[in-house]
Amino acid sequence: HLIGIVSHDLRNPLGAILMGLELLLRREGLDARMQRSLSRLHASTERAVRMVRDLLDFTQARLGGGLRVSRAPVDLHALMRGVVEENEVTHPERELRLEQRGDAHGAWDGDRLAQLVGNLLGNALKYSPEDCPVTVRVLGEEGQVRLSVHNGGEPIAPEFMARLFQPLQRAVEGTDKAGRSVGLGLYIVEQIVRAHGGDIHVTSTVEEGTTFSVRLPRDS
């Protein structure tokens, strides 16, 4: 309850700070030093906003009997194109691939599915070499759609696989000094999948790389 209350109370002031920084960044005449400082502040505030959102989702999932979803008609192909394009902007140094086949229309919560793939993409980019492409695949099938996120690099150690989707856990040892993650990303991914009546599994080997695969019924 305390986590939920504090996270909720932090959301509005952080949102106001983020909006103010975005307005400042659009001002003309900023010198390079001020531009860099504001950009760092903006990135740090966005990270704080994501952490608060994750904590709110964690509280809802634990105390509210799972995440709530609001279903509406969604074209998963169009949604995934948008998510990949956003990540291409924020990670211009990385190669992102999008493969799409079949009919990808269904009744889902589009915002939640964008959050799901955003979390999986963030993990793939974080834990793979910079010269390694990351691939998002969307495949429409009878009554369901499958989507996956794949990356190469070091596989997930077997001892971490069993608790991969548990809260406050990470797929590698040590602290996340770069992202300051609270370790809720994959937990929230699984909760979103469950809320849609689907399932998720992961394979990770040296030869094949790491793939998170999600199955989503078109309507549940």
Side-chain angles (χ1 to χ4, degrees):
H1 281 289
L2 178 62
I3 290 173
I5 292 168
V6 172
S7 300
H8 184 273
D9 289 348
L10 283 172
R11 184 171 54 180
N12 287 339
L14 283 172
I17 293 169
L18 192 61
M19 185 179 299
L21 288 168
E22 288 171 351
L23 289 173
L24 288 172
L25 281 166
R26 287 198 290 265
R27 292 184 62 179
E28 297 181 358
L30 293 175
D31 59 41
R33 181 180 177 185
M34 181 62 71
Q35 185 81 28
R36 287 194 301 270
S37 296
L38 288 173
S39 295
R40 284 196 296 268
L41 285 170
H42 186 268
S44 297
T45 306
E46 279 193 322
R47 188 161 60 244
V49 168
R50 288 194 299 270
M51 294 170 78
V52 166
R53 182 195 64 190
D54 286 350
L55 288 169
L56 285 169
D57 285 343
F58 170 68
T59 306
Q60 183 185 120
R62 280 299 177 93
L63 300 182
L67 291 181
R68 292 187 296 272
V69 296
S70 179
R71 291 178 179 271
V74 174
D75 177 0
L76 204 54
H77 285 330
L79 186 69
M80 292 304 103
R81 280 196 297 272
V83 174
V84 169
E85 287 170 2
E86 288 175 5
N87 279 269
E88 286 175 333
V89 171
T90 55
H91 299 85
E93 76 286 357
R94 299 300 300 268
E95 179 185 358
L96 300 182
R97 299 174 180 173
L98 179 61
E99 300 176 3
Q100 300 178 312
R101 299 199 308 275
D103 177 16
H105 289 83
W108 303 297
D109 187 321
D111 290 339
R112 285 298 189 185
L113 293 188
Q115 181 183 2
L116 180 156
V117 176
N119 284 359
L120 292 180
L121 265 177
N123 266 21
L125 291 166
K126 185 187 298 183
Y127 297 119
S128 63
E130 288 194 357
D131 60 350
C132 177
V134 174
T135 302
V136 177
R137 295 185 176 92
V138 183
L139 173 61
E141 298 178 343
E142 182 69 27
Q144 64 185 17
V145 175
R146 296 185 182 273
L147 65 88
S148 65
V149 177
H150 172 269
N151 64 271
E154 290 295 317
I156 300 170
E159 60 267 27
F160 292 114
M161 292 290 281
R163 60 177 190 267
L164 201 58
F165 296 104
Q166 294 179 11
L168 309 178
Q169 298 290 332
R170 297 176 60 245
V172 296
E173 291 183 309
T175 57
D176 182 10
K177 295 181 179 179
R180 301 295 182 188
S181 168
V182 291
L184 292 173
L186 291 179
Y187 171 77
I188 292 169
V189 162
E190 186 185 44
Q191 293 298 310
I192 294 172
V193 173
R194 285 185 177 182
H196 284 88
D199 52 60
I200 181 171
H201 70 275
V202 57
T203 59
S204 188
T205 65
V206 174
E207 297 80 13
E208 300 295 332
T210 299
T211 302
F212 285 84
S213 301
V214 174
R215 183 189 63 84
L216 295 169
R218 293 185 190 273
D219 196 359
S220 171

